[in-house]
Amino acid sequence: MSDTKITAIQDEYAEDFAHCYGCGRLNEEGHHFRTVWHGEKTYTEYEPDSKHTAIPGFVYGGVIASLIDCHGTGSASLALHRKNGFEPGSGEEPPRFVTASLHVDYLKPTPQGITLKAVGEVEEIHPKKFKVNIEVTADDVVCAKGTVMAVVMPSSFGK
Amino acid sequence: MSDTKITAIQDEYAEDFAHCYGCGRLNEEGHHFRTVWHGEKTYTEYEPDSKHTAIPGFVYGGVIASLIDCHGTGSASLALHRKNGFEPGSGEEPPRFVTASLHVDYLKPTPQGITLKAVGEVEEIHPKKFKVNIEVTADDVVCAKGTVMAVVMPSSFGK
């Protein structure tokens, strides 16, 4: 699938929350991860840049961790938004999550030059805390698995 | 402390393994993380760029995960190199590790504009597998804790 014509959850984050280096549409130098529904699962695709090297030919693990991180918070936002009765494209501002914890198992070296696909399953732990289990594939090979615990951004964040 | 005059483990990685976006000295656009001994602990310092934003004023979690990732593999390399009888600066090529798993707990929003300090403790799990427990501080406040399971890069890596 291609997500280019579907509204992503990040497309409707409030402007104050749209500067994330991973997924902020207003961060000119960031990765611009965009997370959408794909059936009951969540989906983000991304082709790392040639500079994002681990050893030549393979993708840097920190970029894979970044993809999993923002895919996790975006997936949690999609899920709570849907629970609240909204879908991306409604124009309603989605809830913004932050990452409480991130876990990544690197299963195989991830080849460069291929669009990576992150697919997530979201589970509500309690109303403000969601767990997202994620697989990252390259050419249908699972290269990494991750888990993100995402919590609704507290209004006190950073204050 | 400042690590600028101390030889870091990454300074002596073989050229083929020195292109990492996180810690490769030969990756012109990367973070250039450099990991050194500080007593029995390991140390990496890094000031994220202004673009590395989560929300304005705070550091993107994916960059903190990247710092923890490369600090973990660098720390494991320091430890095995020492076990083999070498210190950075000897000119001997250090062993190169890859990340098997990465875990990060984000404890507090991490302020931008401050040099982050990653401090690690290394434990040998078996001769080719090391566990590194890491704290990342900003102005002496622990903002994140991480664990990296690092394994000696197999000679078959990516083949």
Side-chain angles (χ1 to χ4, degrees):
Chain A
M1 70 178 282
S2 170
D3 68 0
T4 50
K5 293 183 181 172
I6 306 173
T7 303
I9 195 73
Q10 292 91 351
D11 296 342
E12 295 183 329
Y13 281 170
E15 287 205 358
D16 283 354
F17 303 148
H19 296 271
C20 172
Y21 185 68
C23 65
R25 66 183 182 277
L26 302 179
N27 189 319
E28 292 182 4
E29 298 176 274
H31 298 300
H32 297 141
F33 300 135
R34 299 176 68 253
T35 306
V36 300
W37 283 115
H38 183 52
E40 294 301 309
K41 297 190 176 181
T42 57
Y43 180 83
T44 304
E45 60 181 32
Y46 180 66
E47 186 174 335
D49 194 85
S50 58
K51 69 187 174 194
H52 295 138
T53 305
I55 66 169
F58 298 94
V59 178
Y60 173 51
V63 168
I64 296 167
S66 298
L67 171 60
I68 288 172
D69 183 4
C70 289
H71 181 72
T73 51
S75 296
S77 183
L78 280 168
L80 180 53
H81 208 38
R82 177 169 281 182
K83 186 184 173 196
N84 290 339
F86 302 108
E87 297 291 324
S90 68
E92 194 74 20
E93 181 186 325
R96 188 70 164 92
F97 280 75
V98 294
T99 307
S101 71
L102 166 69
H103 185 89
V104 182
D105 290 313
Y106 296 95
L107 305 178
K108 289 179 183 292
T110 302
Q112 289 191 292
I114 292 174
T115 297
L116 304 181
K117 298 178 179 181
V119 174
E121 293 188 83
V122 190
E123 177 188 351
E124 181 178 323
I125 304 297
H126 70 61
K128 293 190 171 183
K129 185 174 187 175
F130 288 71
K131 178 181 178 181
V132 188
N133 289 315
I134 299 159
E135 286 190 351
V136 176
T137 58
D139 271 348
D140 296 327
V141 175
V142 179
C143 296
K145 289 188 178 187
T147 302
V148 170
M149 295 296 292
V151 296
V152 174
M153 183 184 285
S155 57
S156 63
F157 186 88
K159 291 177 182 165
Chain B
M1 69 179 280
S2 170
D3 67 1
T4 49
K5 292 182 182 174
I6 306 173
T7 302
I9 195 73
Q10 292 90 351
D11 295 342
E12 295 183 330
Y13 281 169
E15 288 206 359
D16 283 352
F17 303 149
H19 297 271
C20 173
Y21 186 69
C23 65
R25 66 183 183 278
L26 301 179
N27 190 320
E28 293 183 4
E29 299 176 273
H31 298 301
H32 297 138
F33 301 134
R34 297 177 69 255
T35 306
V36 300
W37 282 115
H38 183 53
E40 294 301 310
K41 296 189 177 182
T42 57
Y43 180 84
T44 303
E45 60 181 30
Y46 180 64
E47 185 173 335
D49 194 84
S50 59
K51 70 187 173 194
H52 295 137
T53 305
I55 66 168
F58 298 95
V59 178
Y60 174 50
V63 168
I64 296 167
S66 299
L67 172 60
I68 288 172
D69 183 5
C70 289
H71 180 71
T73 51
S75 296
S77 183
L78 279 167
L80 181 54
H81 208 38
R82 177 169 282 181
K83 185 183 173 196
N84 290 339
F86 302 107
E87 297 291 325
S90 68
E92 194 74 22
E93 181 186 324
R96 187 70 164 91
F97 280 75
V98 294
T99 306
S101 72
L102 165 70
H103 185 90
V104 183
D105 291 313
Y106 296 94
L107 305 177
K108 289 178 183 292
T110 302
Q112 289 191 290
I114 292 174
T115 298
L116 303 181
K117 299 178 179 181
V119 175
E121 294 188 81
V122 190
E123 177 188 352
E124 181 178 322
I125 304 296
H126 70 64
K128 293 190 172 185
K129 185 174 187 177
F130 289 70
K131 179 181 178 181
V132 188
N133 289 315
I134 298 159
E135 286 191 349
V136 176
T137 58
D139 271 350
D140 296 328
V141 175
V142 179
C143 297
K145 290 188 178 186
T147 302
V148 170
M149 295 297 293
V151 296
V152 174
M153 184 184 285
S155 57
S156 63
F157 185 89
K159 288 175 184 165

